[in-house]
Each structure stands twice: as structure tokens, then as C-alpha cells.
Amino acid sequence: MSNASDKPYRHPRRGIIGPFLLVGIILAAWTGWWFYLVQQIETRLEAQVVALRAQGWTVQHADVITTGWPFRARVEIPHASILAPSGHGIAAPEFIAEANAWNPDHWVILAPDGMTLTRADKGKVGVSGPALRASISNLRARFPDLRIELVRAVFTPHPGAEPFPIASAERIQLETRPHLTDGEATTDEMDVLFNLVDARGRRGGPVEGATQDGQLSLALEGTVAHAGALKGANAAGIFSNWTRAGGQFTAIRGELGAGESRARLASDLLTVDAEGRLVGRVALTAEKPGAVVSGMAQSQSGAVNRAGAVGAAAATAVNGDRPVELVLEFRDGRTWLGLFPLAPAPKLF
């Protein structure tokens, strides 16, 4: 005779089903969040396109494709073209933007098949390279963190376009972030970092001449005052509005390498005139500056004042290879080294 104690023990199924049920609930909730996030991204992207068009921008693209479930949001924008009222623009066979689904405040944007830059009144230039990317984060901050990086970039002007200053560069980097005072972003200022590494000038251009057929590297950092005015692009670009609002570049420091020449540079203040050209003084501590100026004098570029460059080269040659203190001045739309005009002052708009 058997009794109840002889019956086989059955494990409660609730203990087995529970973990799977919990995973299913989490997966369903996460999937719901992902689809909500994607819908918000598509809605805001379309709203931004509408707003830009209303402000005079020309924005075109093929159908947007959104993928990336479950952990990423990936937006593919084929045949994209953006042209500002100023005539400056960018286009690419495809832009790809990606963000982690749990952190949609940080995006990485890629141009895997290269891109085309449109320069107002100067024509288009193609940009190719193994890595053309940008990242933007802290989107809710007054000034988001922005980073643009071009790796082993090659620049090819389109037929009929004006020449581009450089033919290639090992790396180009631009970063912007809010200026911090005692660890807090409390001012209307933005810090800017720019790096140009191992750039080669176009054949017969001023960069090739200045580097003595070598390479150009430039590292600059500074602060943009009244950065909040860098918005509302019009036919003259965002720098026009910024200039009228009293925009300034301050605390500028950097290093320049051109062929065998080296220089440290500093400026406490640079402004922009009504024509969009830089105004101010830059102090230089230069090694072998004569080679740079002499190379510019031999350049085939029409932008270089050869007579001024020859005079400046003769004036700096008396120092030989010794470091020399120089002042580069931007005034009257020109770039001056002492009494000698070298070229037009850099133009922002």
C-alpha cells in the first residue's frame, strides 16, 4: 500500500515562468520606448526641415529610414542637401545619424560616401576620406558640445569652382563647448578648439608656397564672446548677426608649423568688420619666418601681394634662424606684417 509521501514531487511552474515573464515585460516596455523614441526623432526632424525652409533654407532628401532596434536609433538620410540663405551648403549621397536608445542626447553623424561643400560665390568642393564625422551632445544645454573630425581628407574642387586652399590633410578637428567659469557655464561665451594636422596646399597656391612644398599644421584655441548671437542665419550667414551683436574672439592661443618654420601665436582680441574680415593684432614668436614669407612671394596665387611678401621676407631675413617677435595685423581688409601687406584678411562672411 502506498501513501501520499510516495507520490513524485512536482516543482511549481510559477518559479520557472516568472523570470521569462519578467524578461518579456521588460522587452515589451523597451520596445515601446524605442518606437516612441523613433517617432519623436522623425517628428522633430521633419519639424526642423519645415522651420529651415520657412527661414529661406533649401533642404532636400529622399525618404528617411530609421532602424537600430533594440539598442540604437539609426537614421539614414539618403541624397541629402542643405543650402543656407548665405549660399553655403553641404550635401552627401547619404548622412547617417546614430544615438544610443538610452542616451538620445548624444548623436554621431557620418558621411560614409563623402560629401560636397558649397561655398557662396566660389563653387563646390568634394570632400572624401575614410572618416568624415561629427558628434553633438548635451542638446538641452545653451551651447551643445560639438565635435567635427575629418580624417585623411582630400579636397577636390568641382569644375568651374575657385581653388580650395588645401588639397588634403591628415586630420581636421573642430570642437565647441560652453565656456566654464569656476566649473559653471554662466556666461554667453563658447570655447573653440581647431586643429589642422599635416595639410598640403594645392599646386601653386599660397599654402604650398608658405610651407616650401611641405606640410602645414595649425592648433588654435580661444573663446567666442556673445556666442548666443550665432543663430538666425541670413543671406550673409550667422557671423553677420554675431558681428552686429558685438561678437569677439578672445584669449586666442596657438601654434603654427609651416615646413621648417614654427611659430607660437597669441591675441587677446579679434573682431570682425562690416565686410566680414578679421580686425586685430596677433603676436608671433617665430622661428625661420623668412622661409614662409619668401615662399608666399613665389606663390602663383592672385590673393598674395607679392611685392609686400618680398619686402616682408627681406625684413625678416636679417634675423637668420634666430626666433623673432613679430606682429601680424588685420586691418583695412588686409593682412599686414609690419609695413608690408601680405594678403586679404581672413573673411568670415
Side-chain angles (χ1 to χ4, degrees), residues 223-290:
T223 299
V224 179
H226 303 290
L230 289 170
K231 59 183 179 181
N234 54 24
I238 60 175
F239 283 107
S240 174
N241 295 330
W242 173 74
T243 299
R244 288 196 297 270
Q248 300 175 339
F249 297 106
T250 64
I252 300 163
R253 301 292 182 270
E255 294 184 357
L256 172 69
E260 297 181 357
S261 303
R262 296 289 182 271
R264 295 188 304 275
L265 56 91
S267 178
D268 293 330
L269 177 66
L270 291 176
T271 59
V272 182
D273 64 19
E275 301 300 320
R277 295 194 180 276
L278 281 183
V279 177
R281 297 160 62 91
V282 177
L284 299 172
T285 302
E287 299 177 8
K288 301 181 180 179

Side-chain angles (χ1 to χ4, degrees), residues 40-328:
Q40 289 294 306
I41 291 170
E42 293 174 346
T43 300
R44 293 182 182 183
L45 177 61
E46 184 59 31
Q48 185 64 53
V49 169
V50 171
L52 287 174
R53 287 172 176 167
Q55 296 170 17
W57 293 60
T58 301
V59 184
Q60 299 175 333
H61 60 81
D63 291 341
V64 175
I65 302 170
T66 308
T67 59
W69 184 87
F71 300 121
R72 302 185 70 79
R74 176 185 172 95
V75 181
E76 301 174 12
I77 309 176
H79 308 296
S81 174
I82 305 172
L83 186 67
S86 63
H88 297 286
I90 186 171
E94 183 179 49
F95 286 118
I96 298 175
E98 292 185 336
N100 291 323
W102 61 85
N103 183 21
D105 200 35
H106 183 181
W107 286 85
V108 176
I109 305 168
L110 310 170
D113 300 318
M115 58 188 181
T116 300
L117 302 179
T118 298
R119 302 167 294 162
D121 302 324
K122 294 184 178 181
K124 298 180 178 181
V125 57
V127 186
S128 60
L132 310 178
R133 56 195 174 217
S135 69
I136 184 169
S137 58
N138 298 324
L139 297 177
R140 296 177 181 84
R142 184 175 188 180
F143 304 127
D145 293 350
L146 173 67
R147 178 188 176 100
I148 299 173
E149 187 174 32
L150 312 180
V151 178
R152 295 197 295 279
V154 177
F155 300 88
T156 307
H158 287 202
E162 288 190 15
F164 199 67
I166 60 175
S168 64
E170 182 64 23
R171 183 165 61 92
I172 301 175
Q173 176 187 356
L174 173 67
E175 293 185 18
T176 68
R177 55 183 178 268
H179 179 72
L180 301 181
T181 302
D182 296 329
E184 299 291 336
T186 57
T187 65
D188 190 22
E189 296 177 317
M190 181 172 64
D191 290 336
V192 178
L193 171 70
F194 176 77
N195 282 323
L196 175 67
V197 180
D198 293 344
R200 289 193 174 276
R202 61 178 174 83
R203 183 61 57 185
V207 173
E208 183 188 64
T211 59
Q212 308 96 56
D213 200 19
Q215 295 177 331
L216 173 70
S217 291
L218 174 65
L220 278 177
E221 60 181 24
T223 299
V224 179
H226 303 290
L230 289 170
K231 59 183 179 181
N234 54 24
I238 60 175
F239 283 107
S240 174
N241 295 330
W242 173 74
T243 299
R244 288 196 297 270
Q248 300 175 339
F249 297 106
T250 64
I252 300 163
R253 301 292 182 270
E255 294 184 357
L256 172 69
E260 297 181 357
S261 303
R262 296 289 182 271
R264 295 188 304 275
L265 56 91
S267 178
D268 293 330
L269 177 66
L270 291 176
T271 59
V272 182
D273 64 19
E275 301 300 320
R277 295 194 180 276
L278 281 183
V279 177
R281 297 160 62 91
V282 177
L284 299 172
T285 302
E287 299 177 8
K288 301 181 180 179
V292 172
V293 185
S294 178
M296 290 181 63
Q298 300 172 23
S299 167
Q300 301 174 20
S301 171
V304 175
N305 185 317
R306 292 188 179 86
V310 169
T316 55
V318 298
N319 294 280
D321 293 341
R322 294 174 298 173
V324 57
E325 303 292 331
L326 301 171
V327 174
L328 201 63

